[in-house]
Amino acid sequence: MTNPTPTTMTFGEEQVPVVTVSTVVVGTGSAGYCAADRLWELGHDDIVMVADKVRAGASRNAGSDKQTYYKLTLSGSEPDSVREMAETLYSGGAMDGDNALAEAALSARGFIRLCDLGVPFPQNRYGEFVGYKTDHDPRQRATSVGPYTSRTMVEQLEKKVRRNGTGVFDECRVVDIVVSPDGQGGTRVAGLLVLRTNISSGSGESPFLFFRCRNIVYATGGPAGIYAKRVFPNGQWGASGAALRAGVNGKNLTEWQFGLGSIKPRWNVSGTYMQAIPRFVSTDADGNDEREFLTETIADYGRLISLVFLKGYQWPFDARKAADGSSLIDLLVYRETAIRGRRVFLDFRTNPVRTHFDHSELQPEAHEYLRRADALFGTPIERLRHMNEPAYRFYLDRNPYIDLEKQMLEVDVCAQHNNGGLTVDAWWQSNVRGFFPVGEAAGSHGVYRPGGAALNSGQVGATRAAQYIAAKGDAPLLTESEFVQAAVPVLGAALDLLSCATGRAEQGTPDNTAEMLSRVQELMSEKAGPVRSSASILEALEQVSAWAGGYSDEVSADPGSRRSVNRTFLVRDILTTAHVYLSAMADYISHNGKSRGSVIYSDPSGSLPRKGHGSEPDEELDLPDIFRFRLDNGALDDQVQETALPCPSFVEIGEEPVATTGGAVEPLPRKVEFRWRRRRPIPQDDEFFENVWRDFRANGNIY
């Protein structure tokens, strides 16, 4: 695999290397590699890949006890269809129907492709790919290869891309996207500016690198870096800020998925970890004063152990299940950590509440599952190892090493997935022509999604983007002189920020990039996590806007530290993202948005969770008023919220209007604009074969 050789070009007084290529794929996760491979297979091989760190990212390093891939049913006698699967996805609320239909239609194609590349999805002796039900799934469409489904996907896709010979530029932090007019009143991709984090200051070589290109496939993952409490692995940051600054619209940015996860290491404690029914305990900050805190609120033993069990396959926090269902567990954990300032642990060594596990008091659903698993015995660790030995061994192989037979596991309610993201059409192209967000960077999901739908969506979006680029992505490149004019202010803004940051450090101000990163993350987790309010969002928005507006006047970066220089641009990206996301949350509340998905919005006129069992099931529990909420009940399911930073401005230079900025020059805070629209319905196209065949044969008709 050989990377193309850059050509040095002059931008004002700066000389910066430039790689000229048709398409840049940003991100080396499963969606990015899929896009690169699909492009190559379709004959569009003038491509390179860019990554901040090839071995990092959620696809390669995240998972769960049985990480799920969601696809069309491919076994048994249970009926299923593309339309029915599309309806399931669409029913999650606020999802566009063309995306739902495409994700259903291409799910089998993407899945079989992975099988052919060597991902060992289980099949029976006759070749049927058997499945199971996942959350928000009426069928048995889910499958898995174990804890590392997405990692296995990445490994096999990476092997294929390497065989193709596609070049990969590693250790490149996205700084900004260069855009230009598209001649139709909008903008199009012109290039990408990155910081080469392996270039030391004083080397005499510019740390910056430009890509002059027609298309960008943006597979950067979700903006994990905006939260402190997150299950996302170390090294997964996202780069949504650069896209937002370049005028790419956001979509459903309010919709995050939260759930219980271990802190060190970061990992979802879903599935068998909960079905083994561990004991929940909290301690003070020093690990003392141990309390089994669930019993304070859930006095009924049978209900308590049944709710813990249900967290296994109702793992994401769900506002609908917070009133009297399993998501009450998440709220009680949140109360311990976020409100009381305590630490929470799972103890697999001892049964909850009683020394003896009294399975006779389990609710029927939980009892039947454990009976069929032959796990109605022993301690939580004995049940866990009996049902899922790899789930136990996972923590033995981590750093830090944890033996669940001897140690407790610290957990919290953590950000796990952004269901919203950057806006995409039916071909995963954004409102900026030539810019294609795929994977978690794309806002293709709605409020709810079936477990594992994200892995399928990444493969489908990458495939659709590659198809469109191969067929239609041939817009002319900017000439060298046009590109220089478009890129000069983008580079100038980056140089100015870096000069301010390093100059401040040289004058004696301590490096504060790590501190600035931590404070915005902690603020977001505290004010804009799974429990939010109008007051908390507005308070966070005011603070983040102030930090963003004064960033260049405050940041100090050690010029001799590549990590510090890297963080200078990372923090700016996270501040941009947090500013836009908080603005979207505030707008959602002003739009009369109520609790839905994986978030409750505190409402003084709302209700507290109920006892939900016994002689007075509707009696409210004794909980803080912050947990009072009212459900949305689908009121906004047919609406999509889109967000936009002001579009880049242009001036006349020569004969062609050229972008003066990719959004990098004007500092934040910038006013965020909003548009609410009806979600696009599921298309009802003509399915008569002869008509479809004719359109398919005609050049470009399906695009």
Side-chain angles (χ1 to χ4, degrees):
M1 214 188 294
T2 303
N3 289 341
T5 302
T7 300
T8 299
M9 295 172 60
T10 302
F11 299 82
E13 298 180 356
E14 299 292 325
Q15 289 192 322
V16 178
V18 179
V19 173
T20 299
V21 66
S22 184
T23 299
V24 177
V25 178
V26 186
T28 50
S30 60
Y33 277 125
C34 177
D37 184 41
R38 292 291 195 185
L39 285 163
W40 188 88
E41 292 281 0
L42 291 167
H44 187 92
D45 58 359
D46 186 18
I47 56 177
V48 295
M49 301 188 73
V50 173
D52 56 359
K53 188 171 291 185
V54 167
R55 299 296 171 187
S59 290
R60 197 183 298 268
N61 298 291
S64 60
D65 77 313
K66 188 172 65 177
Q67 192 180 21
T68 296
Y69 190 103
Y70 188 70
K71 48 95 183 97
L72 195 69
T73 304
L74 296 175
S75 66
S77 59
E78 184 178 79
D80 201 359
S81 70
V82 168
R83 292 278 166 174
E84 185 175 337
M85 181 174 169
E87 289 284 358
T88 299
L89 295 167
Y90 189 67
S91 68
M95 183 178 191
D96 282 313
D98 47 10
N99 296 133
L101 184 58
E103 289 189 9
L106 272 71
S107 67
R109 177 179 180 180
F111 175 76
I112 296 299
R113 174 66 169 159
L114 292 170
C115 294
D116 289 343
L117 288 175
V119 180
F121 287 109
Q123 58 182 293
N124 64 19
R125 63 194 299 182
Y126 303 106
E128 294 178 289
F129 290 99
V130 297
Y132 55 88
K133 289 181 69 172
T134 183
D135 47 301
H136 311 305
D137 173 28
R139 298 292 183 193
Q140 296 188 14
R141 298 181 178 129
T143 186
S144 173
V145 302
Y148 298 111
T149 301
S150 62
R151 175 184 294 184
T152 309
M153 291 164 55
V154 171
E155 290 170 346
Q156 299 306 320
L157 287 162
E158 181 182 22
K159 289 178 185 177
K160 178 60 166 57
V161 170
R162 287 185 176 276
R163 291 197 297 270
N164 298 344
T166 302
V168 179
F169 287 81
D170 196 7
E171 298 186 270
C172 292
R173 163 73 55 205
V174 170
V175 174
D176 266 306
I177 296 155
V178 184
V179 296
S180 67
D182 66 356
Q184 302 174 25
T187 56
R188 66 181 175 103
V189 162
L192 175 73
L193 175 64
V194 301
L195 174 78
R196 296 183 290 177
T197 57
N198 58 347
I199 302 295
S200 301
S201 64
S203 66
E205 187 176 1
S206 172
F208 295 102
L209 172 66
F210 271 115
F211 293 88
R212 180 168 64 113
C213 58
R214 297 180 176 89
N215 310 291
I216 294 175
V217 179
Y218 214 56
T220 54
I226 67 173
Y227 284 109
K229 295 180 179 180
R230 61 193 188 275
V231 183
F232 292 94
N234 289 320
Q236 169 62 39
W237 300 105
S240 298
L244 294 166
R245 286 193 302 275
V248 179
N249 290 346
K251 174 183 170 185
N252 293 334
L253 299 184
T254 58
E255 303 310 312
W256 281 83
Q257 185 168 285
F258 296 87
L260 291 173
S262 57
I263 305 301
K264 294 181 180 179
R266 296 177 186 165
W267 197 251
N268 298 336
V269 287
S270 57
T272 324
Y273 291 112
M274 292 293 105
Q275 289 162 341
I277 312 180
R279 190 170 72 108
F280 280 70
V281 300
S282 72
T283 73
D284 61 20
D286 298 323
N288 302 317
D289 187 29
E290 185 177 304
R291 300 176 188 169
E292 199 164 348
F293 62 94
L294 295 183
T295 58
E296 296 177 24
T297 304
I298 310 173
D300 183 277
Y301 171 78
R303 181 166 186 254
L304 187 153
I305 60 175
S306 297
L307 290 180
V308 172
F309 169 88
L310 287 173
K311 284 305 303 173
Y313 53 84
Q314 296 176 356
W315 174 78
F317 174 68
D318 184 347
R320 298 173 304 186
K321 296 182 178 69
D324 59 2
S326 62
S327 289
L328 176 59
I329 301 292
D330 303 83
L331 290 184
L332 297 179
V333 172
Y334 182 91
R335 179 178 65 175
E336 292 297 298
T337 59
I339 299 176
R340 293 177 171 176
R342 293 171 64 81
R343 301 167 66 188
V344 171
F345 297 84
L346 300 181
D347 183 2
F348 288 89
R349 304 166 300 176
T350 307
N351 280 308
V353 186
R354 304 174 183 174
T355 304
H356 172 68
F357 178 52
D358 190 352
H359 60 77
S360 67
E361 295 201 37
L362 281 167
Q363 294 173 4
E365 182 178 2
H367 191 278
E368 176 62 12
Y369 185 98
L370 293 177
R371 183 193 66 79
R372 294 187 65 180
D374 196 24
L376 293 171
F377 70 94
T379 61
I381 191 61
E382 290 170 335
R383 294 190 290 274
L384 177 68
R385 297 194 66 176
H386 173 76
M387 291 189 287
N388 191 344
E389 176 70 13
Y392 161 69
R393 301 205 64 83
F394 168 81
Y395 284 103
L396 295 178
D397 298 332
R398 299 300 96 191
N399 183 18
Y401 164 101
I402 297 176
D403 186 346
L404 298 179
E405 285 195 317
K406 301 175 182 178
Q407 300 164 268
M408 295 196 297
L409 180 68
E410 188 167 8
V411 299
D412 209 334
V413 185
C414 302
Q416 187 262 348
H417 191 273
N418 189 193
N419 279 4
L422 303 172
T423 189
V424 294
D425 65 11
W427 293 98
W428 269 252
Q429 184 169 212
S430 74
N431 58 297
V432 174
R433 288 184 60 198
F435 190 85
F436 297 81
V438 301
E440 194 179 345
S444 56
H445 303 295
V447 180
Y448 294 95
R449 62 177 178 82
L455 295 189
N456 174 64
S457 180
Q459 298 300 290
V460 171
T463 300
R464 295 282 285 179
Q467 287 180 291
Y468 190 91
I469 290 169
K472 306 287 285 185
D474 56 356
L477 289 166
L478 293 187
T479 65
E480 288 192 5
S481 61
E482 290 171 339
F483 181 73
V484 167
Q485 293 174 75
V488 159
V490 177
L491 177 64
L495 289 168
D496 286 348
L497 176 61
L498 187 57
S499 176
C500 288
T502 56
R504 196 166 287 112
E506 288 171 341
Q507 292 171 8
T509 303
D511 186 321
N512 60 10
T513 53
E515 175 192 347
M516 297 178 85
L517 175 61
S518 295
R519 73 182 185 183
V520 66
Q521 292 175 321
E522 291 167 1
L523 180 75
M524 288 294 292
S525 285
E526 178 186 356
K527 304 292 185 181
V531 180
R532 310 169 185 167
S533 68
S534 176
S536 74
I537 293 301
L538 292 176
E539 182 181 343
L541 178 57
E542 181 179 4
Q543 181 63 79
V544 165
S545 297
W547 285 339
Y551 181 61
S552 63
D553 296 325
E554 183 180 353
V555 62
S556 178
D558 179 358
S561 167
R562 288 180 293 174
R563 173 177 289 185
S564 180
V565 170
N566 183 5
R567 278 197 300 249
T568 301
F569 293 98
L570 171 63
V571 174
R572 183 186 67 151
D573 201 84
I574 287 173
L575 283 170
T576 301
T577 305
H579 171 70
V580 177
Y581 272 62
L582 287 167
S583 298
M585 294 173 194
D587 178 69
Y588 175 80
I589 294 171
S590 70
H591 209 75
N592 204 33
K594 304 299 180 187
S595 299
R596 68 177 187 177
S598 205
V599 172
I600 65 171
Y601 290 87
S602 301
D603 186 338
S605 65
S607 301
L608 288 169
R610 303 183 297 275
K611 287 187 175 181
H613 187 73
S615 59
E616 298 177 328
D618 291 328
E619 183 179 341
E620 290 185 347
L621 292 167
D622 184 17
L623 292 171
D625 281 344
I626 193 175
F627 294 145
R628 289 191 179 276
F629 68 96
R630 287 190 291 168
L631 288 173
D632 168 79
N633 288 322
L636 294 177
D637 277 4
D638 203 38
Q639 298 289 313
V640 168
Q641 181 206 51
E642 290 192 347
T643 62
L645 282 173
C647 292
S649 57
F650 299 92
V651 296
E652 299 289 336
I653 300 178
E655 296 182 0
E656 296 290 334
V658 179
T660 60
T661 171
V665 174
E666 186 181 351
L668 291 175
R670 288 152 62 186
K671 180 179 174 61
V672 181
E673 299 170 353
F674 303 98
R675 178 172 78 104
W676 286 82
R677 61 168 175 82
R678 291 181 68 85
R679 60 176 171 171
R680 301 188 293 267
I682 297 176
Q684 300 296 323
D685 285 347
D686 182 0
E687 295 180 8
F688 184 65
F689 179 81
E690 302 299 341
N691 294 341
V692 173
W693 190 22
R694 182 178 62 253
D695 279 349
F696 183 74
R697 294 197 314 268
N699 184 26
N701 271 16
I702 67 168
Y703 300 98

